[in-house]
Amino acid sequence: SKTLSLALRHSPAVLGLVLDSRGWGEVEAVLRGLDRAGLKISREALEAVVALDDKGRFEMSNGKIRARYGHSIDVEVEYEVDEDSASLYHGTSKDNLPFIMAVGILPMKRKFVHLATDVDTACLNAARRPSPIVIEVDAECLRRSGVVIYIGSRKIRLAKYVPQSCIKRVFQCL
């Protein structure tokens, strides 16, 4: 899934792909690209990667595949608006906290800030970084601030920006 994420979110050329304006690529082209990269998998195995991905990063339809969110390349994915979440969680490194408390959470090289719907998912995200922490975000505060929250997947929400005024608390995962 790491190679798939790289190709569908950031660098389609890694697998020799051409994505359309909505981020869709041909499944057969992905399979050929993975094979050239030394990752020979069947269509069924690729379907299993998509279906079993806990964060819902990918989707397949009509012989095509795309990343649902996390892009640094210019693609337009339409998302439903989340009007229900009360708290969301952002996993990061403690080293980033002074910057975040000064300016808020920015998408950096991506199009959106990724916010988990649950603490466990945020802790998994944070664990990939040194000195992992989780920031709890007040979703109602985001909405009052004019920030739209989108549904990236079952466990991930997306926002263009999180102002520091919407940060509720910071904690470490156990």
Side-chain angles (χ1 to χ4, degrees):
S1 73
K2 286 185 179 187
T3 302
L4 199 55
S5 288
L6 175 64
L8 296 177
R9 289 175 160 180
H10 311 294
S11 183
V14 166
L15 295 181
L17 302 179
V18 175
L19 304 180
D20 69 18
S21 63
R22 302 222 182 252
W24 291 102
E26 297 291 333
V27 168
E28 292 304 320
V30 170
L31 291 170
R32 285 191 304 273
L34 288 169
D35 187 42
R36 282 192 304 274
L39 300 167
K40 186 167 185 64
I41 67 168
S42 66
R43 183 183 186 101
E44 292 76 22
L46 182 61
E47 289 171 355
V49 168
V50 171
L52 297 174
D53 182 70
D54 194 40
K55 294 183 193 170
R57 285 178 275 235
F58 313 107
E59 65 182 324
M60 292 177 74
S61 179
N62 299 320
K64 296 186 177 188
I65 185 171
R66 73 173 173 182
R68 291 262 322 128
Y69 62 89
H71 301 91
S72 61
I73 58 174
D74 191 24
V75 296
E76 292 299 321
V77 178
E78 292 182 23
Y79 300 104
E80 282 184 57
V81 174
D82 175 348
E83 297 175 358
D84 300 321
S85 294
S87 287
L88 297 167
Y89 306 90
H90 182 72
T92 189
S93 170
K94 187 176 182 181
D95 298 340
N96 297 330
L97 195 55
F99 178 81
I100 289 170
M101 296 311 284
V103 300
I105 307 172
L106 304 176
M108 306 310 281
K109 295 178 183 176
R110 297 185 183 202
K111 297 179 84 172
F112 294 98
V113 173
H114 295 185
L115 301 164
T117 58
D118 61 273
V119 173
D120 290 341
T121 300
C123 286
L124 285 173
N125 293 341
R128 298 181 311 208
R129 295 162 177 81
S131 306
I133 60 168
V134 171
I135 299 170
E136 183 176 359
V137 175
D138 181 340
E140 285 301 323
C141 176
L142 288 180
R143 292 182 192 96
R144 286 191 307 272
S145 299
V147 177
V148 179
I149 303 167
Y150 297 102
I151 300 171
S153 70
R154 186 173 53 87
K155 290 188 172 189
I156 301 296
R157 299 298 182 261
L158 308 169
K160 288 285 188 182
Y161 167 67
V162 175
Q164 65 272 40
S165 60
C166 293
I167 294 173
K168 287 170 78 169
R169 67 183 175 121
V170 177
F171 59 94
Q172 292 182 313
C173 298
L174 301 175

